[in-house]
Each structure stands twice: as C-alpha cells, then as structure tokens.
Amino acid sequence: VQIYRNYNFRTQVLVASVRHPMHVVEAGLIGADVVTMPFKVLEQMIKHPLTDIGLERFLDDWRKAQAELEKRFEKVK
C-alpha cells in the first residue's frame, strides 16, 4: 500500500483468502481496502472466550442492579 501511495497510484488493495483473524488485523495495519475470508474466520473474529466471559459478567451486574432498583421502587410505592 505504501508503494502505491509513494507513486500516487489510484488503486485499492485486496487481501484474498485470509485464513486467520490475525491476518485480517495485519491486512488492516498495512492499509488494505478489502479482505476476503471464509465465514469461519469472520465468526472467529466476533466470538472470543474473553468476550463471552466479559458479557456474562456485565449481564450479571445488570441483573443485580435491576433487582436492586425494583426493590427500591417497590418501597416507594
């Protein structure tokens, strides 16, 4: 991408047939415009065990806060 920019070429860079989520990250870092990948790689990019753990913790906290708010609201009635 830098070479194309150095010579002021008007083009877009496509990184094809990516097989790992880190390759998508690397493609973005080099400035690729488009990446093609199997659906499995896309799924791997949006699903991560730490994301699941974080989401579950957030939802647990939300449920606790919601229950506390409901208790306080009933006391006001």
Side-chain angles (χ1 to χ4, degrees):
V1 172
Q2 188 59 51
I3 291 170
Y4 293 131
R5 288 183 181 153
N6 288 346
Y7 293 99
N8 210 21
F9 290 136
R10 289 188 48 161
T11 189
Q12 291 185 322
V13 174
L14 177 136
V15 175
S17 206
V18 169
R19 298 290 179 222
H20 191 276
M22 281 308 298
H23 297 156
V24 178
V25 171
E26 291 169 359
L29 291 173
I30 65 166
D33 298 290
V34 179
V35 176
T36 65
M37 68 190 92
F39 187 70
K40 179 182 176 183
V41 176
L42 179 62
E43 287 179 317
Q44 290 171 336
M45 291 178 62
I46 60 175
K47 184 148 179 72
H48 189 279
L50 294 178
T51 301
D52 295 340
I53 291 168
L55 179 59
E56 193 55 42
R57 286 182 185 170
F58 175 83
L59 291 173
D60 285 343
D61 289 344
W62 168 248
R63 288 181 199 110
K64 290 175 190 173
Q66 189 176 26
E68 183 63 31
L69 286 172
E70 287 172 359
K71 280 185 199 176
R72 289 182 186 185
F73 183 71
E74 286 190 19
K75 288 180 182 178
V76 173
K77 282 185 175 179

